Every structure is written in C-alpha cells, then in structure tokens.
Amino acid sequence: MSKGNIQLTLPDGSVREFPAGATPLEVARSVGERLAAAGVAGQLDGEIVDLRAPIGRSGKFRVLTPRDSEAGVVIRHSAEHVLADAVERVFPGTIIDAGRQDHSEKFQYDFRVDHAFTPEDLERIEQEMARIVKEGKPFERQVVSRKEAAEIFRKRKEEIKLIRLEDIPEGEDITLFRHGDFVDLCRGPHVQRTDQIGAFKLLETSGAYFKGDERNEMLQRIYGTAFATKEELDSYFAKIEEARRRDHRRLGKELDLFSFSPLAPASPFFHPRGTIVYNELVALMRELYQEFGYEEVITPQLFDVDLWKRSGHYDHYRENMFFSDVEGREFSMKPMNCPGHCLIYSTHAHSYRELPVRFADFGRLHRYERSGVVQGLTRVRTFSIDDAHIFCTPAQIGQEVSSLFELMFRVYGIFGFQQPAIYLSTRPEKAIGEEALWRNAEAQLERCLKERGVEYTLNPGEGAFYGPKIDFVVLDAIGREWQLGTIQLDFNLPDRFDLTYVGDDGTEQRPVIIHRAVLGSVERFFGVMLEHFAGDLPLWLTPEQARVLPVSDRFMDAGRAVRDRLVQAGLRAELDERSEKLGAKIRDGELAKIPVLLVVGAREAESGGASVRVRHRGDLGTKDLDEVIATMTTTVHKRVLNPWPEVQ
RNA sequence: GCCAACGUAGCUCAGCCGGUAGAGCAAGUGAUUCGUAAUCACUAGGUCCGCGGUUCGAUUCCGCGCGUUGGCUCCA
C-alpha cells in the first residue's frame, strides 16, 4: 500500500486501494454509476458515514442503498432537515433548535414558535415537505470554522443554533448540511438528494424542554417517521395498530378485568375477573417462595415519618410520598417495604447460622406520581410488588444473587418471555452512603455477573439512591422491552437501622440487605403480560377457563352438570344460560377469549361428554369429560402456555 | 408538574355555522329451542365531565377546574 492510501474491503471480499480522503461517493462510483446514484450512505466497519465525508482509514466498507435496513436511519435523519425547512417556509420567523432520531423509527425536530402547532398545521407542513422531497434537492456537506458557522447562523437569526454551536467541543469538526436554501448544523450522515426520502408521515406534536431539562424553556416538537418505501411506512403503521390492539387498557376494559375512576386517579380497581388473574400471579410467586426459602410477612400501611427520616426516604424520596396528619403527628403511606422489614429483623437477635433471612411482602405501596406521568397499569400511584428483602452476610451475596438469577429465569420462562437483557446500574448523583460502600457493592454485583458469565450493559448513575442494582429487561411477543426484575444491593439501610447478627467469632456483624423483585410491580406486570399475550391468557392465569354452551335450553341441565363437574375438579368454569343460538354463544365466548368452550347438545347429553372447542384451534370433536378435566387440570398445574397440549 | 388533544347512553362513536341529542353493540321484556363467530320484535336508558362567563338561547363559543390520551421531565 503506497503512502497516504487506504484499503477498503468491499462486500464481495475484494480489497481496493484509494487515496486517503476519498469519499464514499467516489468509492461507489468506482464500483458503478448505478450504485453511486442509488447510495444513501456509506458504512465503514459498521459505522454509518456520509457519502461526502472523506474516509480517513482502512476498513470494511459498503455502500448503503434504500434496500438496506440501515438506510432508514439516514433517511429519517434527512427527513428531519426537510421538516425544519418546511416549518421555516410555512411559519417564517420560527427559530429552529435541533432534530434527533430516537432509537425507535421516529424522528423529531424542536422549534420555538409563538403559536401551538395544530393538526392542520401538520398537514400544511407535510405538504411543504412533500414539495421539498419532490424537488430532489441535493444535500451538500460543508466543513466550516466556528467563526464561519456563527456568522451564518447569526445572519439567519438562528439564536438557538448559536447555543448549540457553543456546545460543540473545541477541536471537533463543525459540519453544515445544506439542501436548497436550508442550512443546519449537523454531523450527518444524509442522503444525497431529498427525493431519496421515499415515504414519510408527520405523527404528532408535543412540548419538549430545551436540552431536555425541565428548568429550560419549552419548545414545540414535531414527530414524524420516514422510510425508503411506502411498504415500510405501511408496516410501521401496522405495527402501531398491532400495539393498539394489544393495549392493556383496552383489553382490561373489554375483558372486564380492571377500571379506573377519576375519584382515585392512577389507582386501578381490579374487577372480579382481574382479581383472579392478579391472585394467580401472586400465587405463582408464593409457590416459588416455598421452594426458594422465603418467609412472607405483613407490615403496616401507614408509618410515623420518623421511620422515613431514619431510612433516608424522607430526605431522598419525599416528593414521591403521600403524607397525612393525625393527632398532630405526621404519618406517611409506605412507598417501599424495606424499612418495615428492618423493624421486623431487629425484633430479636440473629445468629449467622440463621442467615440469610428472606422476608417477602406483597404489601400495598403508595407513591405519588406527577399527574402527567401516570399511564394505565404500567405507571400507577398504588401497587404492590413481589417484593422481598434478603438479610445476609457479605459472604453470602454471591450465592443469593446466583439463586435470584435462577428464580428470575424460571419465572420469565413460564410466561414465554425471551431471555432477558441485563443492566448494571451504578451510583446516582442523589445517593446516600459512603462512596467506598458503593464501590464495594458495585464490585460485588459485577463479580456475580462475571462469575455467571452473563452479558450485561452498564447503566452509570442509574442506581437506586441506596444502592447499585441489576435490572432484568424482557422482550414481549412483539419485541418491545419491559423492565421487570431487579436486584439491589444495600449497605446503607442495615447501618441506619443498626441491624446486626452475631458472627461465628461471637462478635456483632452488619448484615447486607438485598432488595429484589421478579415481576416488579404486580400491576405493571399485569399490564405487560396482558399485552404480551394480547389478552389470550394461558389456562392457569385466565379468569374463566371453560364455558359450557348448551345447544338449546333443552340441554341446560346437561350443561349445568358438565359445569358442576369442572368446578368440582377445581376449574373455573361457567355456563352460558342465555336463550341464544349456539353461534351467538360461541361468538361471545371467543370475544371473551375463553380458552375452552364446551358444547353440550343431544349427542353429548347422551354420552356424558362435551364437544371441545379450543381458542385458535377450533372444534376438536366430542371428548369424554374425564379426559377434558384431566387435560385441563394438568395444563393448569404445569402452567403450560398452550391451553390444550396434545401430549402432556 | 410542563406542552397539546380529547371528554356525548354501560361500550364504540356520530352530532355542520349556537335553537336543550342520535346510531350500532350491550341491557330489560316477549317470541324463538336453534350444532361451532351475531334469531327477531319491542322497551328503557343522557346533569352532552364539573363550575363560571358570553348570549334571548350553550353539548356547540370563551375561561377555570377535574380526568384521560400522546409527548417532555421522572419512574416499579
């Protein structure tokens, strides 16, 4: 390789040499004019680069065209600029801030305008964008000095850009991208021409704090999405529609599981059916607690604030707590169970021989959440957690965390969640306890993760105020992420409550507390699980496991006998006593997502069986009642996902 | 908390430019006695979220409050 040249390995495996500073566009041209014309960006060792940005080093290189899925990022990023351009044209005098593309398939741009964007405005802006796209204006990349950039934005009266310019660290290249008369401070990469933005749509407007800080002014944000093709755009909306179909708030109402009242904002009411589901979730955890050595406790709802002062919640969590004054004494609803468990622990002396002590608690918690943040079951003001606190010796942390991993994977497997992603969160700014304690706790968790050989991602500064944590994030049936389980190490609370145990040398030692939850909030899990299953709950969890449908009133007694036998076998079965035709009963049973419908008519009344119709499977024919009961009870007890497995 | 939209029968929704409301489903009653996703008829059901204001008159326009939704910020 001659001096000053770079070597690029192309997708076909060939290696070509180019002068350093050659642009991806030039590389593309050397492959073929058609590739060069179709290209939207380059990719060097996985990193997406602008077609006009000089390549500074050797590596694996390819040209991205609209057919590559990675092209979407570039297209959306370019659509941002077109959006800003269109807004400036439709609303002259608008001060633009900056665009961004979040990790989803949306892009956004923030504006300072004196009037609020309406849906009609969005339509006008969209039309203007369509015009700009159609014009096929080339994007131009330009590297400028700080002074030049400042000059340009000053002239354009883009005051926010000047602030953004100052935020660019000294020594970094300042690049501008232009298309037509529009110019923006931007790193890129961008498509070559605006008409490479194949399909786009503006979605919604919202307020957004400047630089994401609520002390700053609020700008107006417009969200949109863009893809290379109309088909991709359509499938984006299909995905949104699917999520809407699964929305737990809609399902909760349709299946009569829970509701909300304005008289108790953000506080769910679980109806009889929802309560069955809720209790099954709790029962699952109770069953596993037996196996994993937990002891359940029940603790008070309301505590003197002295408790919270002692635990540190009063100083660090007060803005999330509900208070009440009684007899001139200040009380607070508990937002967490841990201090109560510390009080139980300290009711008697402990020996190292009895540790670990594991207190489980499904106690109801109340946390004040700002009115704008609450949402369905996933963000509420009262909930319970499958909460437990493990009091152990420092030496036991490893084995406890290890056993927790086993518990977590067991539970998530029961629901068919994918292998969870794991995050390690470290000391936040607002934390209690000495730096050294924190470092020790973080190191211990890290060691546990390494010893297990699990992959994890570091989340610096995201820990709880009392200790670092490991979070478990699962993917649901349509690929969305949900944070469920958590393991939090706490060296602070034992200190604050002066908890001790007697070590094998007879001296007083300080235990460690591990806060942990598997489902997390039962309410949130309920919502997540409901969406994951799209309302089709597994047999063990569903409120009505079977519904008996007499073909006509004449077979009501036969139907009742079938229902009674199922109920005696411990199944949740009901009888459709309405004087409806079979078709209507089946339709209503299906709409209620009942897994097993049992039809009873002349034939069945004769033989004593029932005709079995399984959801998503259809009519399985007449079966003996003993077989129906055996299949169903086994499926329930084993918590099998499939409501009617052929082979048990 | 902040920005915006929305709030009409149990549910889903219609209701133009201000003249006190309508559909489908659900519910009730009656008829029908039916074999794998909707039988027919009739009946009842409304502080049009609440409170103020403008107006001869407000579900409709304006203000405030409450709630919900989508974002921002925050979070189990």
Side-chain angles (χ1 to χ4, degrees):
Chain A
M1 172 164 92
S2 65
K3 218 180 153 219
N5 278 9
I6 53 170
Q7 287 184 326
L8 297 180
T9 311
L10 302 182
D12 63 1
S14 66
V15 179
R16 297 205 198 180
E17 207 166 302
F18 294 90
T23 66
L25 199 55
E26 287 157 6
V27 175
R29 282 213 185 91
S30 79
V31 176
E33 276 304 326
R34 279 178 55 195
L35 181 65
V40 296
Q43 198 175 27
L44 182 66
D45 291 331
E47 187 196 346
I48 300 178
V49 293
D50 192 85
L51 285 173
R52 288 133 300 207
I55 306 172
R57 60 188 160 88
S58 301
K60 278 185 74 161
F61 178 86
R62 69 172 178 141
V63 175
L64 296 176
T65 71
R67 266 196 289 198
D68 297 301
S69 57
E70 295 95 328
V73 183
V74 185
I75 288 169
R76 285 185 277 283
H77 191 48
S78 304
E80 274 164 47
H81 284 222
V82 174
L83 166 60
D85 184 8
V87 171
E88 283 194 333
R89 291 201 205 180
V90 177
F91 297 96
T94 301
I95 308 291
I96 62 172
D97 175 23
R100 208 190 59 163
Q101 127 136 61
D102 53 20
H103 43 273
S104 72
E105 289 164 316
K106 291 200 263 182
F107 66 84
Q108 64 197 48
Y109 210 107
D110 294 350
F111 305 94
R112 184 197 283 160
V113 226
D114 45 15
H115 100 284
F117 291 128
T118 65
E120 293 73 42
D121 292 339
L122 283 196
E123 260 170 55
R124 283 174 64 199
I125 295 165
E126 215 171 70
Q127 280 165 17
E128 191 61 35
M129 286 176 73
R131 205 166 300 147
I132 297 164
V133 166
K134 209 171 157 203
E135 282 168 3
K137 287 268 161 57
F139 275 92
E140 292 164 43
R141 178 177 186 273
Q142 190 186 1
V143 181
V144 294
S145 72
R146 194 168 289 265
K147 253 179 92 178
E148 287 173 294
E151 190 51 38
I152 288 168
F153 291 117
R154 206 167 294 129
K155 224 180 256 168
R156 295 178 67 95
K157 300 205 170 73
E158 299 284 10
E159 23 189 301
I160 298 182
K161 287 290 171 199
L162 293 168
I163 304 174
R164 292 285 182 184
L165 189 60
E166 280 167 27
D167 291 343
I168 298 178
E170 211 54 59
E172 214 169 273
D173 268 354
I174 293 171
T175 55
L176 303 180
F177 274 86
R178 294 173 187 277
H179 67 266
D181 297 331
F182 181 83
V183 59
D184 199 357
L185 184 65
C186 182
R187 237 181 249 123
H190 284 288
V191 296
Q192 295 189 64
R193 301 174 314 277
T194 53
D195 58 7
Q196 284 178 312
I197 300 165
F200 71 93
K201 178 92 187 130
L202 294 185
L203 301 171
E204 63 223 357
T205 59
S206 87
Y209 299 107
F210 179 54
K211 290 188 187 176
D213 189 329
E214 65 181 322
R215 287 165 304 193
N216 288 341
E217 67 170 314
M218 184 161 261
L219 303 173
Q220 284 199 69
R221 175 171 296 176
I222 296 179
Y223 284 90
T225 188
F227 294 91
T229 63
K230 174 83 166 47
E231 290 67 43
E232 287 172 272
L233 185 67
D234 288 345
S235 85
Y236 172 80
F237 285 111
K239 250 194 312 191
I240 304 273
E241 181 51 40
E242 173 65 14
R244 218 175 63 87
R245 195 178 71 77
R246 288 171 176 260
D247 190 317
H248 72 275
R249 291 165 299 191
R250 157 198 283 260
L251 289 168
K253 201 184 274 183
E254 282 173 5
L255 303 178
D256 194 18
L257 300 175
F258 55 84
S259 63
F260 291 88
S261 160
L263 295 172
S267 307
F269 292 69
F270 285 93
H271 296 10
R273 288 179 167 256
T275 302
I276 291 173
V277 178
Y278 195 105
N279 285 337
E280 285 293 349
L281 292 173
V282 172
L284 166 68
M285 295 315 300
R286 285 204 167 111
E287 197 177 305
L288 289 163
Y289 284 170
Q290 192 87 341
E291 183 183 336
F292 282 78
Y294 288 77
E295 301 170 285
E296 191 172 338
V297 298
I298 297 172
T299 53
Q301 211 53 57
L302 211 53
F303 289 89
D304 189 300
V305 290
D306 278 352
L307 179 83
W308 309 113
K309 285 178 179 161
R310 188 156 181 195
S311 68
H313 288 85
Y314 196 81
D315 283 338
H316 294 87
Y317 207 73
R318 195 175 21 193
E319 61 274 24
N320 283 295
M321 292 166 67
F322 286 102
F323 294 94
S324 109
D325 261 310
V326 180
E327 293 181 336
R329 213 170 144 184
E330 203 180 1
F331 287 89
S332 169
M333 304 289 279
K334 65 176 168 187
M336 295 188 194
N337 289 312
C338 27
H341 294 180
C342 289
L343 294 183
I344 296 182
Y345 181 90
S346 55
T347 52
H348 62 85
H350 293 270
S351 148
Y352 72 97
R353 291 171 185 275
E354 29 177 303
L355 299 188
V357 167
R358 308 184 189 90
F359 290 149
D361 196 331
F362 292 99
R364 185 135 294 271
L365 307 179
H366 288 82
R367 297 186 188 174
Y368 166 71
E369 298 286 354
R370 298 154 102 195
S371 56
V373 309
V374 298
Q375 203 240 19
L377 287 181
T378 51
R379 192 83 182 270
V380 292
R381 286 181 176 161
T382 172
F383 57 100
S384 79
I385 298 179
D386 61 327
D387 199 12
H389 294 94
I390 300 169
F391 300 77
C392 65
T393 72
Q396 289 169 330
I397 292 173
Q399 74 189 48
E400 284 305 307
V401 171
S402 182
S403 137
L404 281 171
F405 268 79
E406 198 187 314
L407 178 59
M408 302 263 184
F409 290 134
R410 269 274 284 287
V411 172
Y412 302 147
I414 288 171
F415 294 92
F417 286 119
Q418 302 295 311
Q419 182 85 346
I422 291 161
Y423 295 88
L424 174 61
S425 301
T426 56
R427 190 177 199 272
E429 254 175 61
K430 210 177 160 192
I432 51 174
E434 313 230 331
E435 186 89 37
L437 277 179
W438 273 87
R439 271 203 302 274
N440 175 25
E442 287 164 7
Q444 293 234 40
L445 285 182
E446 204 153 2
R447 192 178 332 124
C448 292
L449 287 165
K450 291 212 167 110
E451 274 170 12
R452 273 195 83 87
V454 297
E455 282 192 26
Y456 65 94
T457 311
L458 203 60
N459 258 346
E462 294 293 312
F465 71 84
Y466 46 76
K469 58 178 185 171
I470 296 174
D471 288 325
F472 293 73
V473 174
V474 301
L475 290 184
D476 73 8
I478 56 171
R480 294 172 302 179
E481 289 195 341
W482 300 98
Q483 202 242 287
L484 299 179
T486 181
I487 301 174
Q488 311 178 346
L489 234 47
D490 188 347
F491 293 92
N492 288 299
L493 225 41
D495 254 350
R496 286 174 171 258
F497 282 87
D498 194 24
L499 305 182
T500 57
Y501 65 90
V502 179
D504 57 1
D505 60 353
T507 64
E508 277 202 341
Q509 306 285 328
R510 187 72 81 207
V512 178
I513 295 180
I514 302 173
H515 309 242
R516 43 103 290 168
V518 183
L519 305 179
S521 146
V522 181
E523 278 71 5
R524 174 178 289 179
F525 186 85
F526 193 119
V528 169
M529 175 275 303
L530 201 54
E531 302 203 1
H532 173 62
F533 291 124
D536 280 316
L537 303 186
L539 205 63
W540 66 276
L541 206 47
T542 204
E544 186 177 343
Q545 294 164 327
R547 183 177 290 180
V548 180
L549 314 179
V551 169
S552 79
D553 290 354
R554 281 168 43 218
F555 307 104
M556 203 58 78
D557 285 340
R560 189 170 293 116
V562 171
R563 192 267 319 267
D564 289 349
R565 276 205 56 198
L566 293 172
V567 170
Q568 273 158 26
L571 292 164
R572 296 186 286 265
E574 283 172 39
L575 176 68
D576 190 336
E577 293 184 85
R578 297 170 309 160
S579 176
E580 288 287 349
K581 287 164 77 170
L582 181 62
K585 293 182 183 180
I586 286 178
R587 179 181 149 82
D588 291 340
E590 291 285 355
L591 289 177
K593 300 184 192 291
I594 312 296
V596 177
L597 297 176
L598 299 172
V599 176
V600 177
R603 296 197 294 272
E604 295 81 3
E606 180 81 12
S607 69
S611 185
V612 178
R613 184 187 163 104
V614 175
R615 190 154 159 77
H616 301 306
R617 292 269 296 280
D619 190 359
L620 300 188
T622 304
K623 297 202 184 287
D624 188 76
L625 218 47
D626 289 330
E627 186 194 337
V628 171
I629 288 171
T631 304
M632 288 186 70
T633 48
T634 322
T635 304
V636 168
H637 288 135
K638 289 187 177 168
R639 296 198 174 90
V640 180
L641 285 176
N642 182 348
W644 198 273
E646 285 309 331
V647 186
Q648 291 271 343

